[in-house]
Amino acid sequence: MSIQTACVLNCVDHMVPALHKSMTLRDRSSPALRAVCLGILTLGLGGCIGTDVDMALGVDHTVTGSINRPAGPVAGSDDAALIAAIADIDLARTPDGPFAWANPSTGTTGVIGYVAEEQRDDATCRRFSTTRRDVFGRRQFQGLGCSSDGERWQIIDLSPGT
């Protein structure tokens, strides 16, 4: 048994009876005496807790590198993969869904249920519904993506849907 473990166990062995005694005297003791007992207990237990608590408890902080980190930027990349899939749909040839989409860098996948094109001011927009399956589970979304130049598409609205 390590010295740190022995210290923790020794403190617990000595403080538990004192804590129990102070609890049984609760109704008969004054608030000042209770405050003193609480202070003594706090200071006594504080001496047991040092910087080596993890070592005393046997916590292993070895870094193994076994979890792969996704390559490239992750923030917003699922939305970028989704809007790219929506922009690539040729509505003249295949107006009906479903259309699959995926983001290999994050492992997120989904199915676009419908897409309807509309004009808004000087932009071509597409309303859509999609699912998104990722580490948080499977969710349904409704959204709107637009492009003012026919090349750069962006998601204008993406909200939980049914």
Side-chain angles (χ1 to χ4, degrees):
M1 181 182 318
S2 71
I3 294 172
Q4 292 86 3
T5 304
C7 175
V8 170
L9 293 176
N10 189 24
C11 286
V12 169
D13 286 344
H14 286 87
M15 298 313 290
V16 168
L19 179 62
H20 182 269
K21 186 176 182 181
S22 71
M23 292 171 76
T24 58
L25 294 175
R26 177 177 285 163
D27 296 330
R28 295 180 285 178
S29 63
S30 70
L33 182 60
R34 277 187 264 158
V36 168
C37 287
L38 180 62
I40 290 170
L41 286 173
T42 303
L43 290 174
L45 288 174
C48 293
I49 300 173
T51 59
D52 296 328
V53 172
D54 286 348
M55 197 162 51
L57 298 175
V59 176
D60 183 7
H61 291 284
T62 304
V63 177
T64 64
S66 61
I67 299 174
N68 294 330
R69 303 266 181 207
V74 176
S77 61
D78 288 341
D79 289 350
L82 171 60
I83 196 64
I86 290 167
D88 286 344
I89 297 171
D90 185 355
L91 291 175
R93 295 180 72 200
T94 53
D96 298 324
F99 306 98
W101 66 275
N103 183 354
S105 67
T106 62
T108 302
T109 61
V111 176
I112 301 164
Y114 77 86
V115 178
E117 194 165 281
E118 60 186 59
Q119 289 298 122
R120 293 184 135 207
D121 300 324
D122 292 335
T124 300
C125 297
R126 291 186 173 181
R127 289 205 173 277
F128 61 91
S129 71
T130 186
T131 59
R132 179 180 284 184
R133 183 180 303 271
D134 56 16
V135 295
F136 301 107
R138 183 184 178 275
R139 298 174 321 259
Q140 185 83 22
F141 292 93
Q142 305 289 324
L144 176 69
C146 295
S147 173
S148 57
D149 62 5
E151 292 182 26
R152 290 176 298 166
W153 285 82
Q154 63 181 4
I155 293 179
I156 305 300
D157 179 45
L158 187 65
S159 55
T162 55

